Amino acid sequence: MKKIVALASIVTMLAACGNKEKDYDATGTFEATETTVSAEQSGVLLAFNVNEGDNVEAGREIGMVDTTQIWLKIRQLGATKEVYASQKPDMEKQIAATRQQLLKARQEQRRYQELVNDGAAPAKMLDDATSQVQVLQKQLDAQMSSLSVSSRSLDRQMAATDVQVTQLRDQLRKCHVVAPTSGSVLEKYVERGEFVAMGKPLFKIADTDHMFLRAYVTSAQLQQVKLGQKVKVFADFGDGKKSAYDGTVTWISSRSEFTPKTILTDDERADLVYAVKIAVQNDGYAKIGMYGEVKFQN
C-alpha cells in the first residue's frame, strides 16, 4: 500500500512539472559588434601594445609599422620641390632689358613724329622708328609668353610634388595602428617584430558594453514583437543562475529560416523561425556566445 501511495505521489509531481509554463518566450545567444583591425601598410611591426582581454578606447594607438622609408621619400620630395622652385624664372628681371629698349624706341618714335609733322624729317625715319617699336613689342610678348609657360610648368610640377607628399603623409598616418572603436580585445593575431603585409589581420575587438541577444521566434510569436519594444532579457549562467537586463528590440528579420539546432523556440515543432536582435546594456557579466532568454510580455 505504501508503495502505491509513493508511486502516485511521483506521478503527481511529474505531471505538475510537465504542466509548468516556461517563464520565457524565446531563447538565443548573446553577441556583440566585432571589428577585425588589419594592417593598412606593409612593414615590420615596431610596436604592438595590446593583449587579449584588454579594454581599449576608440582612437587609442595600439601599434606602429616601420615608417623609415616613407619619411625618406617625403624628404626626397621636399628637396625636389626646392629644385623646381629655384628654376622658376624671375620674369621682371628677364624682360627688363627688352622693356627698356621698347621704352627708348617709343621715345624715338614720338620725336620723329614731331619732326615729320614740322616737316623737319622725312616720313621714312618715322616708319623705321614705328617698325622698331613693333619688333620690340613682339619680342617682349614672346619672352613673356615663354617665361609664363615655363613658370606654369614648374608650378604644376611643384603641385604634383605636394600631392605625392600628401599621399605619403596619409601612408605615414596609416602606419599607426589605432583602435577604431571602444571595446574589448577578443583575439590577437600578431606580435611585435613581425613583418605584416597590407590587409593582414592584427586583432579583433568587440563592443562588449552594448551587446545583443539574437533570439528566434515562430511566426505565431511575431504578433508579440515590434521594433523599439521594451522586453526583459535573462542571461543564463547555468545551474539556475540568471541575471536580468532591460532590452530593446532593434531588428526583426524580414525572412524566415530553418530553426538552428542550438536554439529552442516556444514551439519546438516549428521548422521556420524569424531572428530578432535585442539590444542590452551589459554590466560586464554577459559574454559573447552565452545563452539567454527573453520575455516579450509581462
Side-chain angles (χ1 to χ4, degrees):
M1 185 66 180
K2 292 182 179 180
K3 291 182 178 180
I4 295 175
V5 173
L7 181 60
S9 300
I10 294 174
V11 171
T12 302
M13 292 175 60
L14 291 175
C17 293
N19 293 331
K20 183 181 179 181
E21 294 185 359
K22 291 179 290 186
D23 56 357
Y24 59 85
D25 295 315
T27 63
T29 55
F30 284 94
E31 59 184 37
T33 302
E34 300 180 3
T35 303
T36 299
V37 181
S38 301
E40 296 185 86
Q41 289 295 317
S42 299
V44 177
L45 198 59
L46 298 181
F48 195 56
N49 304 314
V50 70
N51 294 299
E52 294 178 354
D54 288 352
N55 291 317
V56 297
E57 296 181 356
R60 171 187 163 186
E61 184 170 323
I62 302 298
M64 186 177 69
V65 177
D66 187 11
T67 62
T68 303
Q69 294 302 316
I70 297 177
W71 267 116
L72 291 176
K73 289 179 181 178
I74 291 176
R75 293 186 61 182
Q76 181 183 18
L77 287 172
T80 301
K81 183 178 180 180
E82 291 179 359
V83 171
Y84 289 148
S86 65
Q87 293 175 351
K88 287 191 66 174
D90 189 336
M91 187 176 295
E92 290 303 320
K93 289 184 178 180
Q94 295 197 32
I95 65 174
T98 305
R99 280 188 184 278
Q100 185 64 32
Q101 292 175 358
L102 181 59
L103 179 62
K104 180 65 176 176
R106 284 175 176 168
Q107 291 176 347
E108 290 292 324
Q109 182 186 28
R110 287 193 294 270
R111 187 165 66 86
Y112 284 124
Q113 181 67 57
E114 293 174 355
L115 291 174
V116 169
N117 291 340
D118 293 340
K124 184 178 183 306
M125 298 183 66
L126 177 59
D127 293 340
D128 293 340
T130 301
S131 177
Q132 182 66 16
V133 169
Q134 293 175 347
V135 169
L136 290 172
Q137 181 64 56
K138 290 179 180 179
Q139 289 180 354
L140 180 62
D141 293 342
Q143 285 181 334
M144 292 181 65
S145 176
S146 177
L147 293 171
S148 295
V149 169
S150 177
S151 182
R152 286 195 299 270
S153 176
L154 290 169
D155 285 339
R156 285 192 291 268
Q157 289 176 313
M158 292 171 65
T161 302
D162 289 336
V163 171
Q164 291 177 332
V165 170
T166 301
Q167 292 174 333
L168 288 172
R169 290 193 180 279
D170 180 64
Q171 294 177 16
L172 190 66
R173 178 186 61 80
K174 292 178 179 178
C175 285
H176 297 265
V177 182
V178 177
T181 183
S182 298
S184 177
V185 178
L186 301 181
E187 297 181 61
K188 178 181 177 182
Y189 305 118
V190 297
E191 296 291 342
R192 182 172 63 89
E194 290 186 32
F195 180 88
V196 296
M198 187 183 302
K200 179 179 177 61
L202 302 178
F203 66 97
K204 181 186 290 184
I205 188 173
D207 183 4
T208 53
D209 289 335
H210 304 88
M211 298 188 69
F212 299 90
L213 177 69
R214 179 184 287 268
Y216 293 84
V217 298
T218 63
S219 57
Q221 291 177 299
L222 280 178
Q223 61 182 351
Q224 304 178 33
V225 187
K226 63 180 180 179
L227 292 176
Q229 178 180 350
K230 302 298 182 181
V231 299
K232 208 68 177 179
V233 174
F234 301 91
D236 190 348
F237 299 101
D239 296 330
K241 298 179 181 179
K242 298 181 182 180
S243 181
Y245 301 92
D246 293 325
T248 304
V249 178
T250 59
W251 175 76
I252 302 174
S253 176
S254 59
R255 62 177 60 183
S256 61
E257 56 186 284
F258 286 101
T259 308
K261 293 183 179 180
T262 58
I263 300 299
L264 298 176
T265 65
D266 190 51
D267 184 2
E268 296 179 7
R269 294 173 300 173
D271 292 328
L272 297 176
V273 292
Y274 294 83
V276 297
K277 291 179 70 172
I278 302 164
V280 173
Q281 182 69 37
N282 191 14
D283 57 1
Y285 292 103
K287 305 298 182 182
I288 297 174
M290 180 180 290
Y291 282 95
E293 303 168 352
V294 57
K295 186 72 174 175
F296 294 117
Q297 295 180 343
N298 294 328

